[in-house]
Amino acid sequence: MEAIKTIQDLIECYKKLPGIGFKTAERLAYATLHLTVEDRNRFILALTDANEKVQKCPKCGTFFDDQCPICSDLNRDHSVLLVVSDSKDILSIEKTNGYHGEYFSLKGTLSPLKNRTPEEIGIPQLKQRVEKEGIKEIILALPTDLEGETTAMYLANIYRDNPDVSITKLANGIPIGTDLEYLDNMTITSSLKGRVSLKKGN
């Protein structure tokens, strides 16, 4: 029996999701087919709405469907900028209610082996924003793996001799190799409060 093209197309779509291999994608495809017509239509509507209504803020990188809730908030501390490597991490920080500054989302982390250069991940845009807005502190909330640490050190070197900008990174309670999305709110809040300076002599 030949594979049904429509189902194969659905499987290929699921395979594009992170961490989903062929077997899992196949299970998800057939599970989708077993949903009621009402649930399938709700699924389709949700995807359609996400495609048509959700936007990514060009300034901070947050996803929104009306207006950016962060950049439109006049009560935020505009002198502090928290830098993440993925826009989904902004939500992890926001859930703690322990940070009230602004954000900048890079497009990943530096990786020479994967051809991810400073220009490709958005570091020139970050520098431009720091200069234009008079940012006083940059907080790095990057992955604690090798690529994340490399990116942190690269950014620290840029501002190492700049007396007008302090640069810190999250500290206490974040295990090596852990992404922010898997941490609890208390751990993230503790890390924000215990951030450490990346400048020389600290």
Side-chain angles (χ1 to χ4, degrees):
M1 174 181 171
E2 292 185 6
I4 301 172
K5 184 181 183 303
T6 305
I7 297 178
Q8 288 302 116
D9 289 344
L10 185 57
I11 291 171
E12 289 301 316
C13 287
Y14 277 119
K15 281 173 61 180
K16 293 183 182 298
L17 297 174
I20 303 296
F22 177 80
K23 286 294 184 182
T24 301
E26 187 178 49
R27 285 198 297 272
L28 290 171
Y30 279 98
T32 302
L33 294 174
H34 282 96
L35 292 174
T36 64
V37 173
E38 181 182 358
D39 284 342
R40 282 205 301 271
N41 287 336
R42 188 180 295 119
F43 198 163
I44 292 168
L45 179 61
L47 285 173
T48 301
D49 283 347
N51 185 52
E52 296 178 352
K53 298 178 181 179
V54 176
Q55 304 173 59
K56 191 171 186 179
C57 178
K59 184 178 179 182
C60 71
T62 302
F63 286 107
F64 65 93
D65 59 6
D66 182 16
Q67 65 175 347
C68 178
I70 292 171
C71 295
S72 62
D73 185 353
L74 300 179
N75 295 318
R76 287 189 172 266
D77 185 347
H78 302 297
S79 69
V80 183
L81 189 66
L82 191 147
V83 179
V84 296
S85 64
D86 191 306
S87 54
K88 71 179 184 304
D89 293 333
I90 294 176
L91 181 59
S92 298
I93 298 290
E94 283 296 286
K95 285 179 179 178
T96 70
N97 200 33
Y99 174 75
H100 304 288
E102 297 198 357
Y103 293 92
F104 185 90
S105 177
L106 295 170
K107 300 171 184 175
T109 49
L110 292 173
S111 177
L113 294 176
K114 298 176 183 176
N115 295 318
R116 289 205 301 260
T117 63
E119 291 72 26
E120 186 174 324
I121 69 171
I123 288 179
Q125 290 81 3
L126 170 61
K127 291 170 60 179
Q128 184 179 42
R129 186 170 170 193
V130 171
E131 294 169 9
K132 182 179 180 181
E133 299 181 16
I135 300 297
K136 299 300 181 184
E137 181 183 5
I138 301 171
I139 304 173
L140 302 180
L142 302 175
T144 53
D145 56 15
L146 179 59
E147 293 174 355
E149 290 298 312
T150 299
T151 307
M153 289 300 102
Y154 183 89
L155 290 170
N157 285 331
I158 291 175
Y159 294 100
R160 192 174 298 280
D161 298 319
N162 187 334
D164 298 323
V165 181
S166 66
I167 183 162
T168 59
K169 68 174 182 177
L170 300 190
N172 302 331
I174 297 186
I176 298 297
T178 302
D179 288 334
L180 287 178
E181 64 179 309
Y182 300 117
L183 298 176
D184 60 88
N185 291 348
M186 187 175 295
T187 297
I188 295 176
T189 301
S190 175
S191 298
L192 276 167
K193 291 179 179 179
R195 59 186 182 272
V196 295
S197 174
L198 291 177
K199 287 200 170 184
K200 192 180 299 182
N202 292 303

